[in-house]
Amino acid sequence: TTFLKEELFAEANLWSFLRALLGAVLWALIVYEVPLVVILPLLAFAILTDRIDGAVARMEGETVLGEIIDPWCDKVFAAMLFLAFAPVIWGPVFITLLVVEGTLALGPFFVIFSKKAAWIPSDASARSNRWGKTKFFLECTGLILLALSATTEGNYVLMAVIPFAIMSALRKVSDVFHTPQVL
């Protein structure tokens, strides 16, 4: 449909898709031990695309599909880098992050595609929240530290991601069901 095509190819959504694609490229570069002089600028640019897509969406207008695409591309980006750095991420942290990111990746699809269900309000939203934004910032910080071989520090920062991920998920549930804002 025209609606889907227009939303799919909205500039903000293209920036989000680029971030996910860069996650896959970075995975390959890290796994094949390409020098940091190549990896770090690309990693910084990939992280910057999260700011760019938000700015473009605010200027041109947010899309319904963008509610799904932006957070989902964040998850793909983070998961690709978690997999790339798997050998240096502590086991329990790695497993927890993959489970949490996988669960959060399903959230936007659940909200958007279940709006027709009687128990989901028609104005339910999958929009990001401050907890999720902080989570993504911490993930990126931890991944940069891992790239710089600051393994212990990177793992501690990634551990700090977990409560923010949980709070983000709880806030999204609260937003969907219009429960009082306690988070």
Side-chain angles (χ1 to χ4, degrees):
T1 67
T2 304
F3 165 75
L4 182 59
K5 184 178 178 183
E6 286 176 10
E7 286 211 0
L8 188 62
F9 294 107
E11 185 180 349
N13 295 340
L14 294 176
W15 282 104
S16 296
F17 287 132
L18 177 60
R19 182 170 50 265
L21 176 65
L22 289 173
V25 169
L26 283 161
W27 171 85
L29 295 175
I30 293 164
V31 167
Y32 289 103
E33 299 178 359
V34 170
L36 280 180
V37 70
V38 174
I39 292 172
L40 286 177
L42 194 57
L43 179 57
F45 177 69
I47 293 167
L48 185 61
T49 64
D50 188 48
R51 292 290 181 190
I52 294 170
D53 71 5
V56 170
R58 283 185 292 281
M59 287 188 314
E60 295 186 351
E62 298 175 359
T63 65
V64 173
L65 195 56
E67 282 188 29
I68 297 173
I69 292 170
D70 178 50
W72 188 79
C73 288
D74 289 349
K75 309 298 177 275
V76 170
F77 172 75
M80 294 303 295
L81 291 170
F82 293 154
L83 293 172
F85 287 114
V88 296
I89 298 176
W90 298 332
V93 174
F94 177 77
I95 302 251
T96 303
L97 288 172
L98 284 183
V99 168
V100 166
E101 288 298 342
T103 303
L104 286 172
L106 296 174
F109 293 102
F110 172 78
V111 169
I112 300 299
F113 294 118
S114 63
K115 282 186 177 184
K116 295 192 188 273
W119 51 280
I120 298 287
S122 62
D123 62 344
S125 173
R127 297 176 62 111
S128 60
N129 57 56
R130 64 186 166 132
W131 298 102
K133 290 177 191 288
T134 304
K135 175 192 72 68
F136 188 68
F137 171 79
L138 289 172
E139 285 172 339
C140 293
T141 301
L143 292 165
I144 289 169
L145 288 169
L146 293 177
L148 294 171
S149 297
T151 306
T152 302
E153 295 85 352
N155 273 287
Y156 280 124
V157 172
L158 291 177
M159 283 175 55
V161 165
I162 296 165
F164 285 94
I166 292 167
M167 295 303 286
S168 176
L170 291 173
R171 179 62 186 261
K172 285 183 188 238
V173 168
S174 174
D175 288 348
V176 167
F177 294 106
H178 302 293
T179 57
Q181 297 292 323
V182 295
L183 306 173

